Each structure stands twice: as structure tokens, then as C-alpha cells.
Amino acid sequence: GAVVSQHPSWVICKSGTSVKIECRSLDFQATTMFWYRQFPKQSLMLMATSNEGSKATYEQGVEKDKFLINHASLTLSTLTVTSAHPEDSSFYICSAPRGETGEYEQYFGPGTRLTVT
Amino acid sequence: QKEVEQDPGPLSVPEGAIVSLNCTYSNSAFQYFMWYRQYSRKGPELLMYTYSSGNKEDGRFTAQVDKSSKYISLFIRDSQPSDSATYLCAMSAYGNQFYFGTGTSLTVIP
């Protein structure tokens, strides 16, 4: 099946620093990728849609200047959490839909656990 | 009204039981339906994918889609302790935007 990877899987950073999370589609091209955050025992919350070659689309309430998204190529999207604060500590997951002959499946990365101290 | 409704559970069953997980939705344009399994501190894993209506079977898992009732189900036969996880339903109309249920927490007791 399709594989989506994320790096790093776990990161601890100090308050005020920035953290970059990478999402890669390993065996297919993804013109669109999605970024989610998930708090313990809660469902996925869509943060933004990353579009290759254009600006990301952010969900209401998500600060675009704080969560910078760059879709650099058809296999790579990055999420940078700028000036991180403890309340940004969460599980960040990316996903990419793969479409073949008009049918679409969405594959998730393994997630990145961010802890801001 | 939410796009997708899913009973969060928790659901607890004995090993070997048949598990039924369900989601309802409101958007009649949805045509791609997915079930994911998520273990604690891991990304969701795609279990089943169904396009349009009908049934799909893969080993112990069966996915059903009833578009007339806007209702989808995932059945797990001969449930195992390793099936203990959170199960998420997801759906999409055109493959460019996906809507998720809140997830159902399942525990299979040995």
C-alpha cells in the first residue's frame, strides 16, 4: 500500500523556538497533503490543506503565521511551528490522498509528537 | 449538524465477538468511504476503502455502505485483543476534502 512518512517522530523544544515537521509521500505523488493535530483521546482536527505550487488553505481559527506550510514538491510538505509555546504541544499528523482512476484513498503518516517545554 | 456522526463509545467486547461500528452522514455527495484504525500515539492506518455503495470484505473485516440511508458500517468478526484501538470513519465527495468521525474506542477483552 501507499506509504506516507513523517520526520521527526518525536521532538521536544523550548518555548519560543521553531520546529519543522516533514511529511513525505514515498511511493506516489501528492499534489495535496493535509495537516492535522490531535489531542489525547480526541479526534483529528484539520489544520490546513497543503497544495503543491500554491499557498496552503487554513481552517478557521488556525494561525497561518504560526503554522507555516510549504509544499515544496509533489512528495514533500513541511509544517513549521513558529515561536512554539506549551499549548502547541500535540500530536501532528499529515495525510495524502492518492487518486487512481477517479477513486481516492487517503493515507496517513505515523505522526509527530511535539512537546514544548 | 456535523457532516459525519460516530458514536465515540467506548465499546468493550469479549474476544471472539462480532463488532459493529457505524457512522452516519448528511452529505449525499459523499462517494469515497474509509475506515481507519488508530493505536495510541500512532497515525491512523487505512483498513478499508469503499467507493460508492455496497459491501467489501477483507479477512475478518467487512465494510458496508448504504448511501440511501447515509449509513456506513464496519464489522469485525472473531475479534482479537490486537483489534483494541480507536476506529475512525472518513468520507469524501471528490477526493479533495475528507470528513472524519470522532472515532470509536474499542477494547477486546481476552
Side-chain angles (χ1 to χ4, degrees):
Chain A
V3 177
V4 175
S5 71
Q6 276 182 249
H7 177 79
S9 57
W10 187 31
V11 57
I12 301 175
C13 71
K14 291 189 175 181
S15 187
T17 61
S18 295
V19 173
K20 180 186 282 189
I21 302 170
E22 293 186 349
C23 177
R24 294 182 185 271
S25 57
L26 298 183
D27 58 356
F28 66 101
Q29 294 182 333
T31 55
T32 301
M33 290 185 176
F34 301 97
W35 286 96
Y36 300 85
R37 65 189 298 181
Q38 186 177 38
F39 292 105
K41 298 187 185 292
Q42 295 189 23
S43 189
L44 301 164
M45 288 173 43
L46 179 65
M47 298 175 65
T49 301
S50 172
N51 302 297
E52 191 270 336
S54 64
K55 291 183 179 180
T57 305
Y58 290 82
E59 295 299 300
Q60 192 172 7
V62 177
E63 300 175 59
K64 58 182 68 177
D65 294 330
K66 181 168 184 61
F67 299 98
L68 299 178
I69 290 174
N70 181 28
H71 201 131
S73 73
L74 289 172
T75 60
L76 173 64
S77 175
T78 60
L79 169 68
T80 301
V81 183
T82 62
S83 187
H85 288 98
E87 57 265 30
D88 298 323
S89 298
S90 188
F91 193 50
Y92 292 86
I93 310 174
C94 70
S95 72
R98 184 177 72 173
E100 292 182 353
T101 62
E103 297 193 20
Y104 293 90
E105 302 173 13
Q106 182 170 202
Y107 293 90
F108 285 88
T112 297
R113 184 159 303 281
L114 170 63
T115 301
V116 184
T117 60
Chain B
Q1 184 186 9
K2 283 186 181 178
E3 296 273 3
V4 180
E5 299 276 0
Q6 183 177 9
D7 188 339
L11 186 61
S12 184
V13 301
E15 183 175 354
I18 296 174
V19 176
S20 173
L21 304 167
N22 311 294
C23 288
T24 58
Y25 62 94
S26 56
N27 188 344
S28 57
F30 287 152
Q31 53 181 339
Y32 307 109
F33 303 94
M34 290 143 280
W35 284 97
Y36 293 88
R37 176 175 61 196
Q38 185 177 23
Y39 293 112
S40 181
R41 298 177 177 244
K42 301 287 185 184
E45 169 195 8
L46 181 63
L47 270 182
M48 301 287 285
Y49 165 78
T50 308
Y51 172 67
S52 194
S53 279
N55 295 356
K56 189 171 186 177
E57 188 173 320
D58 184 1
R60 297 185 294 111
F61 299 90
T62 300
Q64 288 185 351
V65 175
D66 182 348
K67 291 189 73 178
S68 61
S69 301
K70 299 192 182 70
Y71 188 88
I72 69 170
S73 300
L74 177 70
F75 296 97
I76 306 174
R77 291 185 299 280
D78 187 25
S79 55
Q80 303 294 309
S82 58
D83 295 328
S84 298
T86 296
Y87 290 81
L88 293 156
C89 64
M91 44 200 83
S92 178
Y94 308 109
N96 59 347
Q97 194 169 6
F98 293 80
Y99 297 86
F100 289 87
T102 52
T104 299
S105 174
L106 170 67
T107 300
V108 180
I109 303 168

